Amino acid sequence: MRYSSAGRFLVIANPQVKTKKLLYILNDSAASALISESTLQRAFMPALSAVTALKVVLCSGELKGGIESSLPLLSFNNIISQPADLSVLEEQAPISLDLAALIYTSGSTGEPKGVMQSHQSMVFAMQSIAEYLRLTENERILCVLPLAFDYGLYQLLMTVYMGATLILERSFAYPARIFQQMDEHKITVFPAVPTMFSITNEAHGRSPLSFPHITRVTNTAAALPADFIPVMRDIFPNALIYKMYGLTECKRASYLEPELIDKKPNSVGKAIPGTEMFLLSPQGKILEQGQKRRRRAAYSRPACNDGLLE
């Protein structure tokens, strides 16, 4: 796989990443440039002495303390204020299969693994998700998810693609602030994970919440418990609730139409637009629609079935 324009690709690290993990990602991806900010220097500065391919560090803000590094430390603000030389882009125009990004897994079961994303796959996923979520340029999306997590990253990509509005928050650590933002910015789309909905539901039990301007609520990363739904309907009375499922760091693979959330509460839904899906038996045979499978059967993956998968 070739690289993207100018022979580069993108790797996003969570701002909360520790030095050891950051060093692993820098070396595993053979990163040649690190873009960061001065508030994170305690995490990235110790890694600079052990990097293998890094050539330069671009940092916004002012670095503090005695800085010792064999690598050039450049001011990001100064760099972006200079006229850009785009001639290299003309020489290496990207093709759809070029590598656009590496999205690293959390590393909960071992070392983080970088999932290769081409321009084609990222553009396709962005458009497919925006289609089935029925998004428009009028959306105001609140993202409290890390941009290093594909779920968070695609909120940014879809917003740019549609010309909509994105409101970024660092985290869901202070729910009261998030609830305030929902009202202040008249949020229309709220993507979250079950833990966030659990906290929101509990807060609603203590002091009733209502966000009638939100028209879409989405969930992925883990299954959304069916007993969350009634409370969520009180909190988001005008929202379509989407249950979505996917493969590690590879976007959503299936979704349940919100109109079917009561009728099929345990279904993973159907393949996202533009893809197919099937189930495999333990022997690797494609199962017909309605055919039972044992619990140990292979996980569903993009390929061939328009029906709902239980």
Side-chain angles (χ1 to χ4, degrees):
M1 180 179 286
R2 299 185 350 164
Y3 296 147
S4 60
S5 60
R8 300 291 181 262
F9 59 89
L10 173 70
V11 180
I12 301 179
N14 193 315
Q16 297 179 348
V17 68
K18 304 300 183 185
T19 300
K20 181 179 179 180
K21 184 174 178 180
L22 175 62
L23 176 60
Y24 175 86
I25 292 175
L26 288 172
N27 286 339
D28 185 67
S29 64
S32 59
L34 172 65
I35 302 175
S36 189
E37 58 181 68
S38 58
T39 57
L40 302 176
Q41 73 177 84
R42 292 182 63 182
F44 71 76
M45 285 302 297
L48 300 186
S49 61
V51 291
T52 57
L54 201 63
K55 297 178 180 177
V56 64
V57 177
L58 291 80
C59 186
S60 65
E62 184 177 349
L63 294 171
K64 297 178 175 59
I67 305 300
E68 294 184 6
S69 174
S70 60
L71 295 172
L73 301 175
L74 306 180
S75 167
F76 180 75
N77 295 334
N78 289 343
I79 293 296
I80 63 174
S81 67
Q82 300 299 318
D85 179 8
L86 301 181
S87 60
V88 66
L89 302 185
E90 298 173 359
E91 297 171 5
Q92 299 186 30
I95 61 173
S96 61
L97 296 181
D98 282 345
L99 182 62
L102 282 179
I103 301 180
Y104 275 82
T105 62
S106 62
S108 57
T109 58
E111 296 289 3
K113 297 176 179 61
V115 180
M116 301 173 73
Q117 301 290 326
S118 68
H119 289 275
Q120 183 181 61
S121 67
M122 296 186 79
V123 170
F124 163 76
M126 171 186 67
Q127 294 175 338
S128 180
I129 296 169
E131 176 184 333
Y132 75 73
L133 291 181
R134 312 169 197 177
L135 301 179
T136 73
E137 69 275 9
N138 299 318
E139 308 302 346
R140 301 179 68 82
I141 304 172
L142 176 63
C143 182
V144 299
L145 304 157
L147 296 183
F149 177 27
D150 77 293
Y151 192 18
L153 176 60
Y154 273 74
Q155 308 308 319
L156 171 61
L157 297 179
M158 289 190 297
T159 300
V160 174
Y161 166 64
M162 297 180 299
T165 301
L166 181 69
I167 293 85
L168 287 171
E169 275 290 339
R170 288 183 180 272
S171 72
F172 200 70
Y174 301 98
R177 173 176 171 77
I178 302 303
F179 302 151
Q180 181 182 1
Q181 293 283 69
M182 288 181 180
D183 278 329
E184 181 180 339
H185 295 287
K186 299 301 179 189
I187 298 302
T188 63
V189 182
F190 178 46
V193 296
T195 302
M196 296 177 188
F197 289 124
S198 176
I199 293 172
T200 302
N201 287 2
E202 290 176 5
H204 177 68
R206 295 190 296 270
S207 178
L209 300 169
S210 182
F211 305 105
H213 39 78
I214 291 182
T215 60
R216 243 81 91 252
V217 171
T218 68
N219 176 85
T220 191
L224 183 66
D227 58 1
F228 280 22
I229 304 302
V231 182
M232 291 172 63
R233 284 210 174 97
D234 285 341
I235 301 171
F236 310 104
N238 298 318
L240 298 173
I241 300 174
Y242 281 86
K243 300 177 72 171
M244 306 184 296
Y245 298 83
L247 308 174
T248 302
E249 311 306 331
C250 293
K251 320 313 153 283
R252 271 106 289 174
S254 68
Y255 75 103
L256 182 67
E257 293 278 8
E259 291 83 1
L260 298 176
I261 199 167
D262 293 319
K263 184 177 180 181
K264 294 281 188 177
N266 297 316
S267 174
V268 302
K270 61 183 180 180
I272 67 173
T275 70
E276 297 176 313
M277 180 166 285
F278 60 69
L279 294 177
L280 296 177
S281 70
Q283 293 74 35
K285 182 180 179 181
I286 296 178
L287 298 178
E288 299 297 330
Q289 187 168 348
Q291 188 177 353
K292 297 291 185 180
R293 69 181 180 88
R294 291 202 308 243
R295 187 172 296 275
R296 288 189 175 183
Y299 181 76
S300 58
R301 62 190 178 108
C304 105
N305 188 340
D306 290 332
L308 297 178
L309 300 174
E310 296 292 352

